[in-house]
Amino acid sequence: MNPYIKYILVFIFGIKALGIYAQPYFDPSTSSLFKKWKDPQSGVESFVLEKHVAPLQLSFYFTNISYTDDGRYYWFYAAYPPSLGRVLGCIDFKTDEIYVFPETRFEDATPVVDLKSGEVYWFSGRTLYKKQPGDRGRITVVNKLNYGNGRYSVRPATHLTFNATKTAVNIDSHDGNQWTVGELPLDGSPFIKWQEFDVCYNHGQFSPVDTSLQLIAQDHWRDGNTGQRIWYKNRIWLIRKGKKAYSIYPDSYKQVTQHTHEWWSSDGSRIYYVDYDNGTEYFDLKTKKRVSVWKNGTCHSHCDKTGSYFVGDIGTYTWEKGCRLAFYNAHTGKEINIVSDFPIGYSKRGAPYHADPHPQFCLNDKYICYTTTVLGIQTVAFVPVQELIRLTSF
């Protein structure tokens, strides 16, 4: 072999081994499935999923990242009004194709995606399934919930998360007038109950670093017999396996009824949440202190892995008066709109499909994904994070 060619090959493969080799897949900025859209007020550019395989295409709930780490697969919700329930759709950025899978129908229990393999896990009834990514991905039964004593099952979980070792998913089931928190192993072993409640607890999320710790939320609910609406008294709780759940703030702290939309920091040291009155805050598990982060972040917020940058939909519950999506740079204290004013989409807020913008950082914090209405109906959009940082850094 010519020695020069040999050196060139060694150089190329050496770069690839170091991870410097170019990403082999498309992303929203290069995919033919997306259309560039510029906010008329802020000038921020997003990439909107223009190709439709369903009437409504929605991003996952913000706590459940659905864009795989290698950048190849992105999972989303698809809905077909007026039919209730949702199914899963998937984009393969390597082939630049989009698919919808009617066999993955679910009504609640936001699915969870293995960001390494691209496999998606979801509940249909009380059975947990797994589907491989791609058009011909195989479906397998993972496990079944084996309790309930015949009570009507409202849902098996709110939004699924893996434990830190990826050996189980969290359960916060609602059956009759009872709520049960625990874990369902992925090896087919029986459900492990942590605690039962006679008031509503949901939005459970495993700690990203501690397999015996979950975050749960007290929530409002309707009595199954009378229809009476009952409001929560203290929102944010932690539960450790083998012990009783406890609230992070005392009942005497008046804001506990205004707390909502919680998520873990990437290192498990903080619980972020929204205070409807005071904006986005976090609770430090070590110091037990409350820290205010972003005053305007008053609905669904999310942050990057470093806790430096935030995104949130604002005015979401009063959409007809104006709803926007904003990015906040905690280093500079500056904010910029990604979408300055969402047009009202299907049936106002998209009920009963929970079609709020629900922004989330994804693809290793390279993008923010959200649900948008700027093309006239709910669909998915992405905005590059680096450009948002640049626009809020001076």
Side-chain angles (χ1 to χ4, degrees), residues 74-273:
Y74 170 71
W75 291 92
F76 60 92
Y77 305 151
Y80 297 83
S83 176
L84 298 178
R86 292 164 286 177
V87 300
L88 290 169
C90 185
I91 294 173
D92 184 339
F93 281 106
K94 182 177 182 180
T95 62
D96 205 29
E97 294 178 300
I98 184 171
Y99 307 100
V100 66
F101 305 108
E103 67 273 24
T104 60
R105 185 179 184 276
F106 64 98
E107 291 189 3
D108 214 326
T110 296
V112 63
V113 175
D114 185 327
L115 299 180
K116 300 299 181 185
S117 70
E119 295 170 314
V120 63
Y121 293 73
W122 82 99
F123 267 104
S124 181
R126 297 174 72 83
T127 301
L128 180 66
Y129 293 92
K130 175 177 69 174
K131 180 176 174 57
Q132 295 172 328
D135 185 30
R136 299 182 181 180
R138 186 166 59 95
I139 292 178
T140 55
V141 173
V142 177
N143 209 338
K144 296 183 179 182
L145 287 175
N146 55 0
Y147 71 95
N149 297 325
R151 290 188 296 269
Y152 171 69
S153 176
V154 180
R155 64 167 174 265
T158 316
H159 40 81
L160 298 172
T161 57
F162 295 117
N163 65 0
T165 56
K166 207 178 289 184
T167 56
V169 291
N170 68 292
I171 298 295
D172 53 7
S173 70
H174 179 185
D175 305 285
N177 275 346
Q178 179 175 290
W179 290 262
T180 307
V181 171
E183 61 182 295
L184 186 65
L186 300 183
D187 63 2
S189 301
F191 169 73
I192 302 169
K193 181 173 66 177
W194 289 20
Q195 190 174 345
E196 290 182 349
F197 305 91
D198 59 5
V199 298
C200 177
Y201 284 88
N202 58 19
H203 288 286
Q205 300 166 56
F206 263 118
S207 162
V209 297
D210 188 339
T211 59
S212 64
L213 184 64
Q214 291 189 47
L215 162 65
I216 56 175
Q218 199 178 100
D219 210 349
H220 53 260
W221 55 288
R222 289 191 184 276
D223 184 280
N225 296 316
T226 66
Q228 179 187 359
R229 191 173 182 86
I230 302 169
W231 295 93
Y232 63 87
K233 298 178 180 179
N234 193 334
R235 174 70 180 193
I236 308 172
W237 296 62
L238 287 171
I239 181 169
R240 184 166 291 282
K241 188 175 181 179
K243 298 184 179 181
K244 299 293 185 180
Y246 61 95
S247 58
I248 64 170
Y249 292 119
D251 290 348
S252 58
Y253 179 39
K254 67 180 182 66
Q255 288 304 118
V256 293
T257 60
Q258 295 298 98
H259 293 165
T260 187
H261 300 151
E262 313 78 9
W263 75 99
W264 286 100
S265 65
S266 61
D267 63 0
S269 67
R270 299 173 178 175
I271 296 172
Y272 287 94
Y273 59 91

Side-chain angles (χ1 to χ4, degrees), residues 60-77:
F60 274 30
Y61 190 68
F62 73 96
T63 56
N64 289 49
I65 311 304
S66 62
Y67 197 169
T68 58
D69 287 343
D70 65 1
R72 178 166 182 177
Y73 296 107
Y74 170 71
W75 291 92
F76 60 92
Y77 305 151

